[in-house]
Amino acid sequence: MTETENAMPCDAIISVRGLYKSFVKGKMVLNGINCDIKKGEQIAVIGPSGGGKSTFLRCLNTLESPTYGEIWFENKLLTAPDPYLHSEVITASKTFGDIMASGRFRSNDDIIAEIRAKDLLKESGRKEGKAYTEALKKVEAENRQSIDLARQRIGMVFQHFNLFPHFNVLKNIMFAPTELKIQTPEEAKENAMALLRRIGLEEKADAFPSQLSGGQKQRIAIVRALAMNPDVMLFDEPTSALDPEMVGEVLEVMKNLAEQGMTMVVVTHEMGFAREVANRAIFLDEGVIAEDGAPADVFGNPKSERLRSFLAKVL
């Protein structure tokens, strides 16, 4: 277990603290990620298949819940608090009291480290007591925010578009802003048409997804997310389901977003985009951030043999 204390930096729009994720007991897909995403960054997440890239992205807007760790968005806790990241919660636990009474450790820090290292707060059937429960609730009450409200400000674009097949293009874009009463129908329509003009698909407003090419569907999926005026855009391999000739039109929309300063996290196999458009590259391998830096450094001067081997295969 990580010993990272939660400390949301003021200049981070998203902060990831001690993130672990397991789908099968004993096998971690993510292995203790700590990462700050600053406003205006365009981050390309690269790495081999099965390295945890899509799981990492889905944890950022809680489509997946962390096994351990926390996600903070704009200085507020987006996930349930992780007791292991809050010393005041650990020291309120029955486990802490029992170990302290045993006299086996010399300091509170030693006891806290023991509890974290051995995952003692999650032992089956253990009751940690009222003080522990109240300390954990206090952390949540002081820091937690609504997931639904946060998701309105975190746009997500999926590999397979996820457009509503029974809605035409215009209604696909208008649906969320009007359903959530963020915009009136008139405002939503005006905004949707402006977005369609922006990507050169105004004439497709009345078309249904089945009548669109893959590249058109993905561009519509992007502007559908933009219709919510998000602070952050997450892209999960947005071009991997497209024919090669359609990739460029989608990357061009994403490049324009980057030029306008949109905060973006993009899981991608498009190394050209990662090198030329992103201003930060993260190499995720076996559930850990193996390298993190400017694309010129990550691609031009990889520090690890693992990254050198990966780049040799994809470049």
Side-chain angles (χ1 to χ4, degrees), residues 53-182:
K53 303 186 300 298
S54 290
T55 300
F56 170 66
L57 200 71
R58 290 172 66 85
C59 284
L60 291 184
N61 70 347
T62 68
L63 289 175
E64 299 289 351
S65 298
T67 302
Y68 301 102
E70 296 174 343
I71 309 293
W72 291 72
F73 175 64
E74 294 185 338
N75 293 301
K76 285 292 185 179
L77 190 54
L78 192 54
T79 56
D82 181 345
Y84 291 102
L85 296 182
H86 301 272
S87 295
E88 72 273 24
V89 176
I90 297 176
T91 55
S93 68
K94 184 177 183 299
T95 296
F96 181 90
D98 290 346
I99 295 175
M100 184 169 62
S102 73
R104 291 188 293 123
F105 290 87
R106 289 176 295 178
S107 71
N108 286 4
D109 288 344
D110 290 337
I111 300 174
I112 289 170
E114 170 84 351
I115 288 172
R116 284 173 169 155
K118 295 186 176 178
D119 193 10
L120 297 181
L121 296 181
K122 290 198 173 183
E123 284 186 359
S124 178
R126 178 176 289 278
K127 305 297 183 184
E128 295 298 343
K130 184 178 179 181
Y132 169 86
T133 301
E134 289 180 349
L136 195 56
K137 285 182 177 178
K138 185 173 185 285
V139 170
E140 182 157 18
E142 291 177 350
N143 297 290
R144 191 78 184 270
Q145 65 176 304
S146 163
I147 291 175
D148 290 338
L149 289 178
R151 280 182 180 161
Q152 292 175 23
R153 300 163 68 189
I154 304 174
M156 182 86 177
V157 177
F158 299 89
Q159 179 179 348
H160 293 291
F161 326 128
N162 288 14
L163 297 175
F164 298 116
H166 55 295
F167 289 169
N168 65 18
V169 164
L170 186 61
K171 190 169 182 181
N172 261 285
I173 300 170
M174 292 175 57
F175 180 74
T178 53
E179 185 74 8
L180 296 171
K181 295 182 169 49
I182 295 170

Side-chain angles (χ1 to χ4, degrees), residues 161 213-216 218-219 222 237-255 268-273:
F161 326 128
S213 70
Q216 290 170 338
Q218 194 60 291
R219 283 187 284 163
I222 292 172
E237 300 191 16
T239 61
S240 62
L242 301 178
D243 293 332
E245 65 268 21
M246 297 177 184
V247 169
E249 60 193 51
V250 173
L251 292 181
E252 186 63 28
V253 174
M254 296 170 63
K255 182 178 179 181
T268 184
H269 292 293
E270 298 292 337
M271 296 299 118
F273 176 90

Side-chain angles (χ1 to χ4, degrees), residues 169-170 173 189-190 192-207 219-220:
V169 164
L170 186 61
I173 300 170
K189 183 175 181 180
E190 182 180 352
M193 293 305 297
L195 288 167
L196 286 172
R197 283 192 292 273
R198 181 171 163 184
I199 61 169
L201 290 177
E202 185 179 8
E203 77 282 0
K204 297 295 184 181
D206 295 324
R219 283 187 284 163
I220 297 300

